Amino acid sequence: MIELDAEDNKLVVLARGALARTGGVSGAAIRDTDGRTYAAGEVTLDALRLTALQSAVAAAISSGAEGFEAAAVVGGRFSDAGVGAVREVSPAARIVFTDRDGAVFEIVDDSEDAAATAATAVTAEVRGG
């Protein structure tokens, strides 16, 4: 089992809370370079659809965050379109992926591989893949 430090574990707790509040498929939380955290669930309106990670990034950026240290996604996957948004702002930010119970199954912190994979996922989604 992968153990997280206290700060990353806090992100997982916040993401799980967002998931529970919204009743969606995933929840996310992000920590900016000033140590502030933002948590969000999915947005599934007819006029607007955002993954939980995209929602957390939007909340952080709209609050003035200039960079990210780390993010956690509960119930999501690396193909989440929010990964590209995190990488655009902070290519080296760590992204922790857990199942709905909070068990870590992937930690992404290699910015070159992550950027290439995110770009591929976004391209596939644009093409309908």
Side-chain angles (χ1 to χ4, degrees):
M1 182 171 169
I2 299 172
E3 294 294 323
L4 299 175
D5 67 22
E7 291 301 310
D8 287 352
N9 192 56
K10 177 181 172 183
L11 289 176
V12 172
V13 170
L14 291 170
R16 289 184 72 202
L19 173 64
R21 282 190 307 278
T22 62
V25 175
S26 66
I30 195 159
R31 182 175 58 249
D32 72 11
T33 53
D34 291 330
R36 295 175 297 196
T37 56
Y38 308 85
E42 300 168 312
V43 175
T44 55
L45 302 172
D46 288 338
L48 178 65
R49 294 202 180 273
L50 298 172
T51 68
L53 185 54
Q54 286 175 313
S55 296
V57 168
I61 295 298
S62 68
S63 296
E66 295 181 2
F68 303 129
E69 291 178 354
V73 181
V74 174
R77 294 286 179 248
F78 184 72
S79 61
D80 186 310
V83 171
V86 172
R87 292 289 178 240
E88 180 178 334
V89 176
S90 295
R94 180 176 46 264
I95 305 174
V96 176
F97 292 87
T98 77
D99 64 17
R100 293 175 62 88
D101 295 325
V104 177
F105 64 82
E106 185 174 10
I107 298 176
V108 178
D109 59 8
D110 182 353
S111 61
E112 286 183 30
D113 289 344
T117 303
T120 301
V122 169
T123 302
E125 288 179 32
V126 168
R127 292 183 181 162

